[in-house]
Amino acid sequence: MKAKDTLILAIESSCDETAAAVVRNGREVLSNIIYSQIDIHTMYGGVVPEIASRKHIEKIDPVVASALSEAGVTKEDLSAVAVTAGPGLVGSLLVGVAYAKAYAYAAGLPIIGVHHIEGHIAANYIESKELEPPFLCLVVSGGHTELVVVEDYGKFRLIGTTHDDAAGEAFDKVARAIGLGYPGGPKVDKCAKAGGRPDAVVFPRGHVDGNEFDFSFSGLKSAVLNYLNSCAMKQGGPVKDLREKREGDANFNPDALIDPDTGVTVADVAASFQEAVVDVLVTHTVAAAKSLGISKVAMAGGVAANGALRDRMKRDCESEGISLYYPSPLLCTDNAAMIGCAGYYDFLAGKSHGLDLNAVPGLGLGQSI
Ligand code: KG4
Ligand code: ZN
């Protein structure tokens, strides 16, 4: 390590991933360890907060040890400890925050509480070394759907948000309804790719009166559920929830018919729903970039891993002369490298916290910790 290197140990435990990373000078990831609890929560059809907290407690120490050893560093080499302080599940956040405070105190290091969404945005800096603010970022995760102008490092202006469900939440709920189970986003993505026709069913595109850059996904979700119900009725009465028939079915078949009359399959519904979400996300983002005169657009959060969203955003940005950035899928979903990157810019700005740092589950973007 060069003497002037800034090495950050980063910890992330806001939901169901226990993660630790070592990041050098903000953008160079020396290690990025993720222990995913997905298999456990899949049994319950979604994240069970109490189980998530307990698993974090069990895994955080070995995950941090692996991050340090894979990076080949010891606590003496570190400059600071960065940890996600919010938003997220309070019990999950508290494990990371308590661990990071204890570690920093014992090692005599500064501690930096990092905003989880600022971390997602910062994930773009890791692989795109040339990316600098200002740019427009579409943040699409399980709990957030936001259009954010990144004016500078640590300086954000929210220009659009969802009025109801987040995009990831809509993916998760629809996935459940068509029998794909948890976690919904990647399963819908995969199922849609398995021959699904995006134009098989035309689902509504949600718009919000008053702010052209805001989002609404609850109407779309209801439209999918209504469509499924109407197909079930056509087949002789209210068929029980598809989920009960298909969840956990090893022989799940994307070609299974939803509507035998029209030939619409499970994969068609997945692809058509996804098309409606992608259409709204891309249209709003490109319109916002054009209206603000911004020529750089980035995407962040779990839904930014979606293949159809990446393809369509690329196509539309290209045709408008906008440069597009998005992290590789592993850096889109929850990880600690992104927290190390955001924490580095906080560190450069002289931001640090005391041992009274607490978890803030409802932390809004730009709100100070
Ligand atoms: O950013 P993230 O890992 O956690 C939060 O901060 O919420 O995002 C998780 C969300 C979930 O709703 C998940 O279904 C969705 O991102 N997601 C996807 C894909 N991968 C993850 N949605 C659509 N397509 C994907 N490939
Ligand atoms: Zn996240």
mmCIF file of all heavy atoms in Angstrom, residues 13 83-101 111-116 352-363 367-369:
data_model
loop_
_atom_site.group_PDB
_atom_site.id
_atom_site.type_symbol
_atom_site.label_atom_id
_atom_site.label_comp_id
_atom_site.label_asym_id
_atom_site.label_seq_id
_atom_site.Cartn_x
_atom_site.Cartn_y
_atom_site.Cartn_z
ATOM 1 N N SER A 13 -25.524 -3.969 5.593
ATOM 2 C CA SER A 13 -26.438 -5.006 6.123
ATOM 3 C C SER A 13 -27.866 -4.460 6.183
ATOM 4 O O SER A 13 -28.589 -4.758 7.123
ATOM 5 C CB SER A 13 -25.992 -5.441 7.523
ATOM 6 O OG SER A 13 -26.219 -4.390 8.452
ATOM 7 N N VAL A 83 -20.147 2.462 6.947
ATOM 8 C CA VAL A 83 -21.233 1.506 7.161
ATOM 9 C C VAL A 83 -22.562 2.116 6.728
ATOM 10 O O VAL A 83 -22.787 3.315 6.924
ATOM 11 C CB VAL A 83 -21.293 1.051 8.635
ATOM 12 C CG1 VAL A 83 -21.573 2.210 9.593
ATOM 13 C CG2 VAL A 83 -22.334 -0.044 8.835
ATOM 14 N N THR A 84 -23.431 1.278 6.150
ATOM 15 C CA THR A 84 -24.777 1.753 5.795
ATOM 16 C C THR A 84 -25.548 2.069 7.071
ATOM 17 O O THR A 84 -25.738 1.196 7.915
ATOM 18 C CB THR A 84 -25.544 0.667 5.010
ATOM 19 O OG1 THR A 84 -24.761 0.288 3.894
ATOM 20 C CG2 THR A 84 -26.903 1.169 4.566
ATOM 21 N N ALA A 85 -26.016 3.325 7.189
ATOM 22 C CA ALA A 85 -26.771 3.722 8.381
ATOM 23 C C ALA A 85 -28.271 3.790 8.090
ATOM 24 O O ALA A 85 -29.085 3.848 9.001
ATOM 25 C CB ALA A 85 -26.273 5.073 8.884
ATOM 26 N N GLY A 86 -28.667 3.800 6.826
ATOM 27 C CA GLY A 86 -30.076 3.844 6.446
ATOM 28 C C GLY A 86 -30.194 4.267 4.997
ATOM 29 O O GLY A 86 -29.194 4.682 4.413
ATOM 30 N N PRO A 87 -31.348 4.142 4.347
ATOM 31 C CA PRO A 87 -32.540 3.493 4.871
ATOM 32 C C PRO A 87 -32.445 1.975 4.766
ATOM 33 O O PRO A 87 -31.549 1.460 4.093
ATOM 34 C CB PRO A 87 -33.640 4.026 3.943
ATOM 35 C CG PRO A 87 -32.940 4.295 2.639
ATOM 36 C CD PRO A 87 -31.544 4.708 3.005
ATOM 37 N N GLY A 88 -33.363 1.271 5.425
ATOM 38 C CA GLY A 88 -33.361 -0.185 5.396
ATOM 39 C C GLY A 88 -34.175 -0.734 6.557
ATOM 40 O O GLY A 88 -34.888 0.011 7.231
ATOM 41 N N LEU A 89 -34.029 -2.022 6.787
ATOM 42 C CA LEU A 89 -34.721 -2.663 7.915
ATOM 43 C C LEU A 89 -33.946 -2.332 9.188
ATOM 44 O O LEU A 89 -32.736 -2.559 9.253
ATOM 45 C CB LEU A 89 -34.742 -4.182 7.725
ATOM 46 C CG LEU A 89 -35.464 -4.707 6.481
ATOM 47 C CD1 LEU A 89 -35.198 -6.198 6.303
ATOM 48 C CD2 LEU A 89 -36.959 -4.439 6.611
ATOM 49 N N VAL A 90 -34.639 -1.839 10.186
ATOM 50 C CA VAL A 90 -33.904 -1.323 11.346
ATOM 51 C C VAL A 90 -33.064 -2.402 12.033
ATOM 52 O O VAL A 90 -31.899 -2.162 12.379
ATOM 53 C CB VAL A 90 -34.843 -0.581 12.339
ATOM 54 C CG1 VAL A 90 -35.831 -1.532 13.013
ATOM 55 C CG2 VAL A 90 -34.040 0.169 13.377
ATOM 56 N N GLY A 91 -33.632 -3.587 12.210
ATOM 57 C CA GLY A 91 -32.892 -4.651 12.892
ATOM 58 C C GLY A 91 -31.663 -5.080 12.107
ATOM 59 O O GLY A 91 -30.627 -5.436 12.684
ATOM 60 N N SER A 92 -31.761 -5.053 10.782
ATOM 61 C CA SER A 92 -30.631 -5.419 9.926
ATOM 62 C C SER A 92 -29.559 -4.328 9.970
ATOM 63 O O SER A 92 -28.367 -4.614 10.134
ATOM 64 C CB SER A 92 -31.105 -5.598 8.480
ATOM 65 O OG SER A 92 -31.875 -6.760 8.364
ATOM 66 N N LEU A 93 -30.007 -3.076 9.833
ATOM 67 C CA LEU A 93 -29.065 -1.949 9.856
ATOM 68 C C LEU A 93 -28.274 -1.926 11.163
ATOM 69 O O LEU A 93 -27.055 -1.684 11.176
ATOM 70 C CB LEU A 93 -29.819 -0.623 9.725
ATOM 71 C CG LEU A 93 -30.430 -0.298 8.365
ATOM 72 C CD1 LEU A 93 -31.438 0.843 8.501
ATOM 73 C CD2 LEU A 93 -29.349 0.073 7.352
ATOM 74 N N LEU A 94 -28.999 -2.174 12.272
ATOM 75 C CA LEU A 94 -28.360 -2.069 13.588
ATOM 76 C C LEU A 94 -27.180 -3.020 13.744
ATOM 77 O O LEU A 94 -26.199 -2.693 14.409
ATOM 78 C CB LEU A 94 -29.390 -2.332 14.698
ATOM 79 C CG LEU A 94 -30.257 -1.127 15.060
ATOM 80 C CD1 LEU A 94 -31.420 -1.555 15.956
ATOM 81 C CD2 LEU A 94 -29.422 -0.042 15.752
ATOM 82 N N VAL A 95 -27.264 -4.187 13.116
ATOM 83 C CA VAL A 95 -26.167 -5.151 13.235
ATOM 84 C C VAL A 95 -24.896 -4.564 12.602
ATOM 85 O O VAL A 95 -23.824 -4.567 13.217
ATOM 86 C CB VAL A 95 -26.534 -6.503 12.571
ATOM 87 C CG1 VAL A 95 -25.363 -7.467 12.640
ATOM 88 C CG2 VAL A 95 -27.771 -7.100 13.224
ATOM 89 N N GLY A 96 -25.035 -4.043 11.387
ATOM 90 C CA GLY A 96 -23.875 -3.462 10.699
ATOM 91 C C GLY A 96 -23.338 -2.255 11.442
ATOM 92 O O GLY A 96 -22.118 -2.099 11.612
ATOM 93 N N VAL A 97 -24.240 -1.386 11.884
ATOM 94 C CA VAL A 97 -23.817 -0.147 12.557
ATOM 95 C C VAL A 97 -23.090 -0.489 13.872
ATOM 96 O O VAL A 97 -22.014 0.053 14.151
ATOM 97 C CB VAL A 97 -25.028 0.788 12.797
ATOM 98 C CG1 VAL A 97 -24.675 1.926 13.738
ATOM 99 C CG2 VAL A 97 -25.537 1.341 11.464
ATOM 100 N N ALA A 98 -23.652 -1.405 14.653
ATOM 101 C CA ALA A 98 -23.025 -1.763 15.936
ATOM 102 C C ALA A 98 -21.659 -2.403 15.697
ATOM 103 O O ALA A 98 -20.672 -2.087 16.380
ATOM 104 C CB ALA A 98 -23.936 -2.710 16.727
ATOM 105 N N TYR A 99 -21.597 -3.278 14.702
ATOM 106 C CA TYR A 99 -20.328 -3.957 14.400
ATOM 107 C C TYR A 99 -19.278 -2.932 13.952
ATOM 108 O O TYR A 99 -18.132 -2.941 14.417
ATOM 109 C CB TYR A 99 -20.538 -5.007 13.302
ATOM 110 C CG TYR A 99 -19.309 -5.859 13.075
ATOM 111 C CD1 TYR A 99 -19.177 -7.109 13.668
ATOM 112 C CD2 TYR A 99 -18.258 -5.393 12.273
ATOM 113 C CE1 TYR A 99 -18.040 -7.880 13.480
ATOM 114 C CE2 TYR A 99 -17.113 -6.155 12.085
ATOM 115 C CZ TYR A 99 -17.016 -7.395 12.675
ATOM 116 O OH TYR A 99 -15.884 -8.150 12.485
ATOM 117 N N ALA A 100 -19.687 -2.051 13.052
ATOM 118 C CA ALA A 100 -18.737 -1.062 12.511
ATOM 119 C C ALA A 100 -18.233 -0.130 13.610
ATOM 120 O O ALA A 100 -17.040 0.217 13.651
ATOM 121 C CB ALA A 100 -19.415 -0.254 11.401
ATOM 122 N N LYS A 101 -19.122 0.254 14.507
ATOM 123 C CA LYS A 101 -18.694 1.156 15.596
ATOM 124 C C LYS A 101 -17.692 0.445 16.505
ATOM 125 O O LYS A 101 -16.668 1.031 16.890
ATOM 126 C CB LYS A 101 -19.917 1.608 16.419
ATOM 127 C CG LYS A 101 -20.784 2.615 15.686
ATOM 128 C CD LYS A 101 -21.689 3.397 16.614
ATOM 129 C CE LYS A 101 -22.778 2.555 17.230
ATOM 130 N NZ LYS A 101 -23.772 3.371 17.932
ATOM 131 N N ILE A 111 -15.306 6.612 11.841
ATOM 132 C CA ILE A 111 -16.448 5.864 11.305
ATOM 133 C C ILE A 111 -17.325 6.808 10.478
ATOM 134 O O ILE A 111 -17.545 7.954 10.871
ATOM 135 C CB ILE A 111 -17.238 5.170 12.424
ATOM 136 C CG1 ILE A 111 -18.433 4.428 11.854
ATOM 137 C CG2 ILE A 111 -17.735 6.143 13.489
ATOM 138 C CD1 ILE A 111 -18.854 3.279 12.687
ATOM 139 N N ILE A 112 -17.778 6.291 9.338
ATOM 140 C CA ILE A 112 -18.614 7.122 8.445
ATOM 141 C C ILE A 112 -19.930 6.381 8.198
ATOM 142 O O ILE A 112 -19.935 5.262 7.667
ATOM 143 C CB ILE A 112 -17.906 7.353 7.091
ATOM 144 C CG1 ILE A 112 -16.534 7.999 7.317
ATOM 145 C CG2 ILE A 112 -18.750 8.225 6.163
ATOM 146 C CD1 ILE A 112 -15.592 7.846 6.149
ATOM 147 N N GLY A 113 -21.034 6.987 8.586
ATOM 148 C CA GLY A 113 -22.356 6.426 8.301
ATOM 149 C C GLY A 113 -22.740 6.824 6.885
ATOM 150 O O GLY A 113 -22.709 7.998 6.522
ATOM 151 N N VAL A 114 -23.081 5.827 6.059
ATOM 152 C CA VAL A 114 -23.339 6.094 4.638
ATOM 153 C C VAL A 114 -24.820 5.855 4.324
ATOM 154 O O VAL A 114 -25.444 4.935 4.853
ATOM 155 C CB VAL A 114 -22.447 5.190 3.753
ATOM 156 C CG1 VAL A 114 -22.791 5.331 2.273
ATOM 157 C CG2 VAL A 114 -20.970 5.508 3.988
ATOM 158 N N HIS A 115 -25.344 6.688 3.434
ATOM 159 C CA HIS A 115 -26.713 6.551 2.940
ATOM 160 C C HIS A 115 -26.738 5.423 1.904
ATOM 161 O O HIS A 115 -25.967 5.457 0.937
ATOM 162 C CB HIS A 115 -27.129 7.883 2.300
ATOM 163 C CG HIS A 115 -28.587 8.005 2.076
ATOM 164 N ND1 HIS A 115 -29.256 7.206 1.179
ATOM 165 C CD2 HIS A 115 -29.514 8.817 2.628
ATOM 166 C CE1 HIS A 115 -30.541 7.534 1.185
ATOM 167 N NE2 HIS A 115 -30.713 8.515 2.071
ATOM 168 N N HIS A 116 -27.625 4.448 2.108
ATOM 169 C CA HIS A 116 -27.664 3.277 1.224
ATOM 170 C C HIS A 116 -27.896 3.657 -0.251
ATOM 171 O O HIS A 116 -27.253 3.100 -1.157
ATOM 172 C CB HIS A 116 -28.780 2.341 1.713
ATOM 173 C CG HIS A 116 -28.937 1.092 0.918
ATOM 174 N ND1 HIS A 116 -28.065 0.027 1.024
ATOM 175 C CD2 HIS A 116 -29.843 0.741 -0.034
ATOM 176 C CE1 HIS A 116 -28.447 -0.932 0.188
ATOM 177 N NE2 HIS A 116 -29.520 -0.518 -0.466
ATOM 178 N N SER A 352 -17.476 12.566 9.204
ATOM 179 C CA SER A 352 -17.377 11.321 9.973
ATOM 180 C C SER A 352 -18.368 11.403 11.126
ATOM 181 O O SER A 352 -18.943 12.457 11.388
ATOM 182 C CB SER A 352 -15.959 11.082 10.473
ATOM 183 O OG SER A 352 -15.639 12.020 11.467
ATOM 184 N N HIS A 353 -18.590 10.279 11.786
ATOM 185 C CA HIS A 353 -19.584 10.231 12.857
ATOM 186 C C HIS A 353 -18.956 9.764 14.162
ATOM 187 O O HIS A 353 -17.883 9.155 14.160
ATOM 188 C CB HIS A 353 -20.735 9.304 12.466
ATOM 189 C CG HIS A 353 -21.502 9.814 11.277
ATOM 190 N ND1 HIS A 353 -21.194 9.469 9.982
ATOM 191 C CD2 HIS A 353 -22.536 10.695 11.200
ATOM 192 C CE1 HIS A 353 -22.010 10.098 9.157
ATOM 193 N NE2 HIS A 353 -22.828 10.852 9.862
ATOM 194 N N GLY A 354 -19.668 10.023 15.236
ATOM 195 C CA GLY A 354 -19.203 9.572 16.539
ATOM 196 C C GLY A 354 -19.771 8.203 16.872
ATOM 197 O O GLY A 354 -20.484 7.604 16.053
ATOM 198 N N LEU A 355 -19.467 7.753 18.085
ATOM 199 C CA LEU A 355 -19.965 6.432 18.489
ATOM 200 C C LEU A 355 -21.463 6.468 18.798
ATOM 201 O O LEU A 355 -22.060 5.435 19.110
ATOM 202 C CB LEU A 355 -19.178 5.910 19.692
ATOM 203 C CG LEU A 355 -17.733 5.524 19.346
ATOM 204 C CD1 LEU A 355 -16.955 5.151 20.592
ATOM 205 C CD2 LEU A 355 -17.702 4.377 18.336
ATOM 206 N N ASP A 356 -22.064 7.644 18.664
ATOM 207 C CA ASP A 356 -23.523 7.722 18.817
ATOM 208 C C ASP A 356 -24.235 7.521 17.461
ATOM 209 O O ASP A 356 -25.449 7.672 17.375
ATOM 210 C CB ASP A 356 -23.945 9.060 19.449
ATOM 211 C CG ASP A 356 -23.456 10.260 18.633
ATOM 212 O OD1 ASP A 356 -22.638 10.055 17.693
ATOM 213 O OD2 ASP A 356 -23.873 11.396 18.942
ATOM 214 N N LEU A 357 -23.476 7.158 16.428
ATOM 215 C CA LEU A 357 -24.099 6.869 15.123
ATOM 216 C C LEU A 357 -25.191 5.818 15.323
ATOM 217 O O LEU A 357 -24.970 4.799 15.973
ATOM 218 C CB LEU A 357 -23.044 6.331 14.144
ATOM 219 C CG LEU A 357 -23.568 5.847 12.785
ATOM 220 C CD1 LEU A 357 -24.077 7.021 11.958
ATOM 221 C CD2 LEU A 357 -22.475 5.103 12.019
ATOM 222 N N ASN A 358 -26.345 6.079 14.733
ATOM 223 C CA ASN A 358 -27.458 5.144 14.905
ATOM 224 C C ASN A 358 -28.022 4.752 13.545
ATOM 225 O O ASN A 358 -27.790 5.438 12.551
ATOM 226 C CB ASN A 358 -28.552 5.818 15.746
ATOM 227 C CG ASN A 358 -29.438 4.796 16.447
ATOM 228 O OD1 ASN A 358 -29.326 3.580 16.229
ATOM 229 N ND2 ASN A 358 -30.332 5.279 17.290
ATOM 230 N N ALA A 359 -28.785 3.664 13.505
ATOM 231 C CA ALA A 359 -29.470 3.278 12.274
ATOM 232 C C ALA A 359 -30.662 4.212 12.063
ATOM 233 O O ALA A 359 -31.352 4.546 13.025
ATOM 234 C CB ALA A 359 -29.964 1.839 12.391
ATOM 235 N N VAL A 360 -30.870 4.626 10.792
ATOM 236 C CA VAL A 360 -32.016 5.502 10.483
ATOM 237 C C VAL A 360 -32.817 4.813 9.379
ATOM 238 O O VAL A 360 -32.557 5.032 8.189
ATOM 239 C CB VAL A 360 -31.542 6.907 10.015
ATOM 240 C CG1 VAL A 360 -32.728 7.878 9.984
ATOM 241 C CG2 VAL A 360 -30.437 7.448 10.892
ATOM 242 N N PRO A 361 -33.807 3.980 9.745
ATOM 243 C CA PRO A 361 -34.481 3.155 8.735
ATOM 244 C C PRO A 361 -35.189 3.949 7.644
ATOM 245 O O PRO A 361 -35.246 3.515 6.505
ATOM 246 C CB PRO A 361 -35.490 2.332 9.558
ATOM 247 C CG PRO A 361 -35.518 2.923 10.920
ATOM 248 C CD PRO A 361 -34.234 3.662 11.124
ATOM 249 N N GLY A 362 -35.711 5.138 7.970
ATOM 250 C CA GLY A 362 -36.479 5.897 6.964
ATOM 251 C C GLY A 362 -35.714 7.054 6.365
ATOM 252 O O GLY A 362 -36.325 8.010 5.883
ATOM 253 N N LEU A 363 -34.417 6.973 6.359
ATOM 254 C CA LEU A 363 -33.581 8.084 5.885
ATOM 255 C C LEU A 363 -33.889 8.476 4.436
ATOM 256 O O LEU A 363 -33.840 7.645 3.537
ATOM 257 C CB LEU A 363 -32.116 7.638 6.005
ATOM 258 C CG LEU A 363 -31.036 8.689 5.832
ATOM 259 C CD1 LEU A 363 -31.074 9.707 6.962
ATOM 260 C CD2 LEU A 363 -29.657 8.010 5.802
ATOM 261 N N GLN A 367 -30.808 13.637 3.128
ATOM 262 C CA GLN A 367 -30.937 13.920 4.571
ATOM 263 C C GLN A 367 -29.635 13.541 5.257
ATOM 264 O O GLN A 367 -29.065 12.495 4.958
ATOM 265 C CB GLN A 367 -32.051 13.078 5.201
ATOM 266 C CG GLN A 367 -33.377 13.783 5.264
ATOM 267 C CD GLN A 367 -34.472 12.853 5.814
ATOM 268 O OE1 GLN A 367 -34.224 11.728 6.208
ATOM 269 N NE2 GLN A 367 -35.676 13.372 5.816
ATOM 270 N N SER A 368 -29.200 14.381 6.198
ATOM 271 C CA SER A 368 -27.925 14.039 6.821
ATOM 272 C C SER A 368 -28.125 13.028 7.939
ATOM 273 O O SER A 368 -29.187 12.962 8.564
ATOM 274 C CB SER A 368 -27.206 15.279 7.302
ATOM 275 O OG SER A 368 -28.035 15.941 8.200
ATOM 276 N N ILE A 369 -27.095 12.231 8.141
ATOM 277 C CA ILE A 369 -27.166 11.140 9.122
ATOM 278 C C ILE A 369 -26.741 11.658 10.485
ATOM 279 O O ILE A 369 -25.724 12.327 10.577
ATOM 280 C CB ILE A 369 -26.263 9.964 8.661
ATOM 281 C CG1 ILE A 369 -26.788 9.391 7.353
ATOM 282 C CG2 ILE A 369 -26.171 8.878 9.735
ATOM 283 C CD1 ILE A 369 -25.810 8.534 6.589
#
